[in-house]
């Protein structure tokens, strides 16, 4: 779920930063877009790290076992 959330945040941020040319007084949409893009990249990287850690370690009764089952 973290990887998908990161991608969605990045896409929404890119749309706000590059595709929308609307000026509002209360917010700078370009800056919000850049912030969302950074947050999306961080969430994506955290999701990848969590996925790699989960794949490398599987516990059965508290022991670490290999994924390769013959």
């Amino acid at each position: 779920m973290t990887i998908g959330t990161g991608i969605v945040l990045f896409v929404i941020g890119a749309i706000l930063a590059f595709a929308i040319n609307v000026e509002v007084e209360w917010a700078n949409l370009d800056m919000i877009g850049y912030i969302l893009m950074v947050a999306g990249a961080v969430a994506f990287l955290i999701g990848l790290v969590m996925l790699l850690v989960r794949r490398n370690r599987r516990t059965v009764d508290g022991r670490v076992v290999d994924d390769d089952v013959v």
Side-chain angles (χ1 to χ4, degrees):
M1 182 165 158
T2 308
I3 294 174
T5 303
I7 292 171
V8 168
L9 284 175
F10 193 87
V11 168
I12 291 172
I15 290 170
L16 284 176
F18 303 120
I20 295 180
N21 293 325
V22 176
E23 298 266 339
V24 293
E25 294 179 15
W26 50 272
N28 184 354
L29 294 181
D30 289 338
M31 184 58 65
I32 293 172
Y34 293 132
I35 291 170
L36 286 175
M37 286 172 40
V38 169
V42 169
F44 182 79
L45 290 175
I46 289 172
L48 281 179
V49 168
M50 288 173 47
L51 182 68
L52 291 174
V53 167
R54 221 178 305 147
R55 283 190 179 178
N56 286 337
R57 302 186 121 202
R58 305 260 174 151
T59 58
V60 176
D61 299 331
R63 298 177 307 203
V64 177
V65 297
D66 292 330
D67 285 339
D68 298 330
V69 178
V70 179

